[in-house]
């Protein structure tokens, strides 16, 4: 089936890309402070919305104009409709959504401190951690047709490994957002084109504490030894470190008044993927993705905070 992305810019040539990953429903509460164990805190706001790192990244890319397909798994329940309704509203292709007939759609409990905007998250992946071999076998053609496939670590890792293998065999470039951290084998990493950890995940994966430019370079070298070609380490409000084609620098982020940084990494990854698919180099892509992420942190929520392409372009013109 042919889809037209209503957010695409007419003059942008973009290759096809796939996001393979989680969908969960985010149940978010804002609170005067994050509770300590055994403490109950009266919150000030509750919001339910679409979430999961995979889904957030795909929506970010779609609204930024990418020719992107989401692959995930949901239950047959009302929480699945939260995603399906968003996909209908945004005009996203739904033909690679799998359903688990007995397990429930996943959820994430998110607490956001209204002062510091720091968060605490518990995720129960549910159906999206039950992706079978039959499911992954059925997307081989989609992976083959894609220039990039972007994955995270929220679904069952055996499924991620099969998709990475398939991409490797078909010459599709794999971008692995190593969030939330869980171990990834060296064999699997050797098939990854680019990793996009945050600084904590970079330390967990390489053993190098990323607290300076030199340390970031050291962590990138460890990834390269494992066969990864390009390394992108997001550093929160300090920007992003890029190691690509012999050039290693930090690209600063845009200064904004952040109200909720949950999903900033997802916004960045979705924006980065979009820009790479348009043929931009890593430095231009980092600027585009930083703008997209900066807008997203000025808004509440994860998927609902992703800006449109028109908003990102206007922001870049102003800054
Ligand atoms: P999360 O797990 O909450 O999704 P993350 O840890 O994966 O986030 P970060 O490194 O915090 O990701 O942020 C990703 C990118 O978002 C940064 O590189 C930066 O460009 C942008 N960003 C994050 N926080 C801010 C902020 N306060 N102001 C502007 N931009 C920000
Ligand atoms: O990165 C933010 C996401 O992480 C949230 O949407 C939540 O679902 C958790 O998976």
């Amino acid at each position: 089936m042919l889809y037209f992305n209503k957010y695409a810019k007419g003059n942008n040539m973009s290759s096809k890309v796939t996001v393979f990953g989680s969908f969960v429903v985010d149940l978010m509460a804002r609170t005067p402070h994050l509770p300590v164990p055994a403490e109950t805190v009266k919150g000030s706001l509750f919001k339910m919305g679409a979430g999961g790192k995979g889904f957030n990244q795909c929506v970010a890319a779609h609204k930024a104009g990418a020719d992107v397909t989401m692959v995930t798994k949901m239950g047959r329940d009302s929480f699945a409709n939260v995603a399906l309704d968003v996909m209908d509203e945004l005009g996203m292709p739904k033909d690679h959504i799998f359903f688990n007939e007995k397990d429930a759609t996943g959820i994430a409990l998110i607490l956001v401190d209204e002062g510091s905007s720091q968060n605490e998250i518990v995720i129960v992946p549910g159906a999206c951690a039950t992706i079978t071999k039959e499911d992954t076998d059925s997307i081989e053609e989609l992976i083959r047709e894609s220039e990039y496939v972007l994955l995270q670590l929220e679904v069952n890792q055996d499924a991620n490994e099969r998709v990475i293998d398939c991409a490797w065999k078909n010459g599709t470039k794999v971008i692995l957002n190593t969030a939330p951290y869980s171990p990834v084998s060296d064999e699997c990493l050797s098939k990854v084109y680019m990793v996009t950890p945050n600084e904590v995940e970079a330390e967990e994966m390489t053993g190098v504490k990323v607290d300076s430019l030199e340390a970031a370079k050291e962590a990138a070298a460890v990834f390269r030894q494992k066969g990864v070609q390009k390394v992108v380490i997001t550093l929160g409000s300090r920007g992003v470190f890029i190691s690509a084609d012999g050039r290693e620098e930090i690209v600063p982020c845009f200064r904004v008044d952040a109200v909720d940084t949950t999903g900033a990494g997802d916004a960045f990854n979705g924006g980065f993927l979009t820009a790479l698919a348009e043929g931009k180099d890593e430095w231009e892509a980092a600027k585009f993705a930083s703008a997209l992420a900066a807008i997203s942190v000025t808004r509440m929520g994860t998927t609902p905070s992703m800006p449109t392409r028109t908003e990102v372009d206007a922001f870049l013109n102003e800054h």
Side-chain angles (χ1 to χ4, degrees):
M1 207 191 218
L2 269 184
Y3 289 94
F4 171 71
N5 182 349
K6 62 184 175 188
Y7 299 101
K9 273 189 92 171
N11 56 351
N12 275 353
M13 289 302 289
S14 178
S15 57
K16 196 171 171 51
V17 293
T18 295
V19 176
F20 180 83
S22 54
F23 166 72
V24 302
V25 171
D26 283 352
L27 305 167
M28 189 275 285
R30 258 168 98 80
T31 161
H33 64 268
L34 298 173
V36 295
E39 185 187 15
T40 300
V41 181
K42 272 191 189 163
S44 53
L45 176 84
F46 169 76
K47 270 192 182 216
M48 182 172 107
K53 292 183 190 299
F55 197 77
N56 294 339
Q57 292 176 18
C58 190
V59 167
H62 177 81
K63 290 183 77 175
D67 180 1
V68 60
T69 302
M70 179 75 213
V71 184
T72 189
K73 194 158 187 170
M74 303 168 189
R76 290 275 185 203
D77 48 31
S78 57
F79 274 11
N81 293 337
V82 174
L84 300 174
D85 290 350
V86 168
M87 295 178 95
D88 284 340
E89 188 195 323
L90 302 179
M92 295 166 73
K94 290 191 298 189
D95 35 12
H96 290 92
I97 305 295
F98 302 114
F99 289 92
N100 181 320
E101 301 299 331
K102 62 179 205 317
D103 290 322
T105 301
I107 58 102
L109 303 176
I110 304 177
L111 299 180
V112 180
D113 184 317
E114 54 196 25
S116 66
S117 90
Q118 274 192 320
N119 61 48
E120 276 179 0
I121 302 180
V122 174
I123 174 176
V124 182
C128 74
T130 68
I131 300 173
T132 63
K133 181 165 184 319
E134 195 188 348
D135 296 333
T136 50
D137 283 353
S138 74
I139 60 166
E140 177 155 7
E141 192 182 333
L142 176 74
I143 300 297
R144 193 183 315 122
E145 286 172 352
S146 300
E147 184 183 4
Y148 294 95
V149 57
L150 170 62
L151 307 94
Q152 316 73 32
L153 298 176
E154 246 171 14
V155 303
N156 44 312
Q157 183 59 8
D158 60 312
N160 273 342
E161 286 178 11
R162 285 193 298 275
V163 170
I164 290 171
D165 255 345
C166 172
W168 173 253
K169 283 183 197 133
N170 285 291
T172 300
K173 287 175 262 188
V174 172
I175 305 177
L176 181 62
N177 174 228
T178 54
Y181 171 75
S182 71
V184 179
S185 71
D186 282 356
E187 203 217 325
C188 184
L189 270 182
S190 71
K191 297 171 186 159
V192 169
Y193 171 73
M194 175 187 286
V195 284
T196 62
N198 67 14
E199 52 206 310
V200 177
E201 293 143 13
E203 179 178 354
E204 286 166 320
M205 298 200 68
T206 64
V208 179
K209 189 169 173 54
V210 182
D211 53 6
S212 65
L213 176 60
E214 285 317 305
K217 289 181 184 176
E218 225 182 285
V222 176
F223 279 119
R224 270 199 306 279
Q225 277 158 18
K226 293 178 192 285
V228 177
Q229 293 179 44
K230 303 192 178 188
V231 179
V232 173
I233 305 177
T234 62
L235 306 167
S237 58
R238 287 185 294 122
V240 58
F241 165 81
I242 313 259
S243 170
D245 306 323
R247 184 173 161 197
E248 298 190 302
E249 281 167 35
I250 289 174
V251 176
C253 79
F254 293 94
R255 279 185 186 279
V256 289
D257 290 325
V259 297
D260 179 8
T261 61
T262 321
D266 299 334
F268 184 93
N269 275 275
F272 206 74
L273 175 71
T274 304
L276 292 180
E278 288 174 10
K280 295 187 168 68
D281 67 20
E282 284 74 17
W283 312 96
E284 286 179 277
K287 198 171 161 201
F288 181 82
S290 302
L292 196 158
I295 300 170
S296 80
V297 302
T298 64
R299 300 173 179 173
M300 297 292 299
T302 52
T303 285
S305 73
M306 302 306 172
T308 62
R309 178 56 172 258
T310 308
E311 290 173 319
V312 180
D313 286 345
F315 182 94
L316 282 166
N317 276 336
E318 280 163 26
H319 291 76

